[in-house]
Amino acid sequence: MKTIKFLSVLACAGLVFTSCSSDDDNPPPVNEEEIITTMTITMIPIGVAGETVVLQVRDLDGDGPNPPDVTVSGNLAADTTYESAIVLLNETESPPENITEEVEEEDDEHQFFYGVGGSLNATTEYANFDGDGNPLGTEFRLSAGSASSGTLSFTLRHEPKKPNDGSLSDAGGETDIAQTFNVTIE
């Protein structure tokens, strides 16, 4: 009788150990985060003669001791609409890697969010979308209204909730890069 109980316990233990096998044979692929050292926003006026405005943030040492270099090439023209594009680079590599291509390939996992602050009289509108019709935002239109000044902010989120209400708080996800620029419309 003791032998039968002992064999029963061994058989049950064998079932427990064999039914709890590891699924590590097929681990999910690792998607390493992009290194983004430079974000350049180029805004070209539509239908009118005017100057292209370039906003750029460049941080070659990442979290190092040096602050990012933030530049604005000039002022926006009042009552003008701009076709705009964002280019992201990893300048720690030579030649620099164009991260924008990766963001656009993984469009369902990324979204840019724009913010207009202060007294800036401007609006933004998405010009490119992911495969499901949700905003991506590497391309956009900016409509500059009357003379004013304030800020424009750009935030790239990785794995945001899509669709979302257009706010960072609803989108969730992780921030890949964010920058605010002081801008003037004249």
Side-chain angles (χ1 to χ4, degrees):
M1 188 70 154
K2 287 184 180 182
T3 304
I4 294 173
K5 284 183 182 179
F6 180 72
L7 290 175
S8 297
V9 169
L10 280 178
C12 288
L15 287 174
V16 169
F17 289 118
T18 58
S19 64
C20 294
S21 68
S22 173
D23 291 333
D24 290 341
D25 297 337
N26 295 318
V30 175
N31 184 9
E32 293 186 22
E33 293 297 317
E34 304 87 4
I35 296 174
I36 302 171
T37 61
T38 307
M39 176 170 56
T40 304
I41 299 112
T42 304
M43 299 184 285
I44 302 169
I46 302 171
V48 295
E51 291 191 30
T52 296
V53 176
V54 178
L55 313 176
Q56 185 178 69
V57 59
R58 198 165 179 227
D59 192 3
L60 299 180
D61 70 346
D63 291 334
N66 300 319
D69 184 25
V70 179
T71 59
V72 177
S73 70
N75 295 331
L76 297 166
D79 302 317
T80 302
T81 300
Y82 292 82
E83 290 278 345
S84 307
I86 301 171
V87 174
L88 305 169
L89 298 177
N90 174 2
E91 293 189 276
T92 65
E93 296 186 7
S94 182
E97 179 184 7
N98 186 339
I99 302 299
T100 311
E101 294 170 356
E102 185 176 336
V103 167
E104 290 176 343
E105 287 171 7
E106 299 173 356
D107 58 5
D108 61 327
E109 298 176 15
H110 292 91
Q111 183 177 349
F112 263 101
F113 293 84
Y114 320 119
V116 176
S119 300
L120 192 67
N121 185 2
T123 59
T124 59
E125 177 184 343
Y126 287 99
N128 66 339
F129 301 85
D130 68 17
D132 295 324
N134 295 308
L136 172 59
T138 55
E139 298 173 8
F140 65 99
R141 285 188 187 83
L142 180 133
S143 297
S146 59
S148 57
S149 62
T151 60
L152 284 175
S153 62
F154 299 87
T155 303
L156 175 62
R157 284 286 171 95
H158 182 78
E159 295 187 346
K161 175 180 89 173
K162 286 189 172 187
N164 56 60
D165 68 6
S167 70
L168 289 169
S169 60
D170 184 51
E174 295 182 21
T175 298
D176 282 341
I177 188 168
Q179 183 62 46
T180 299
F181 298 90
N182 293 318
V183 177
T184 299
I185 299 172
E186 59 179 20

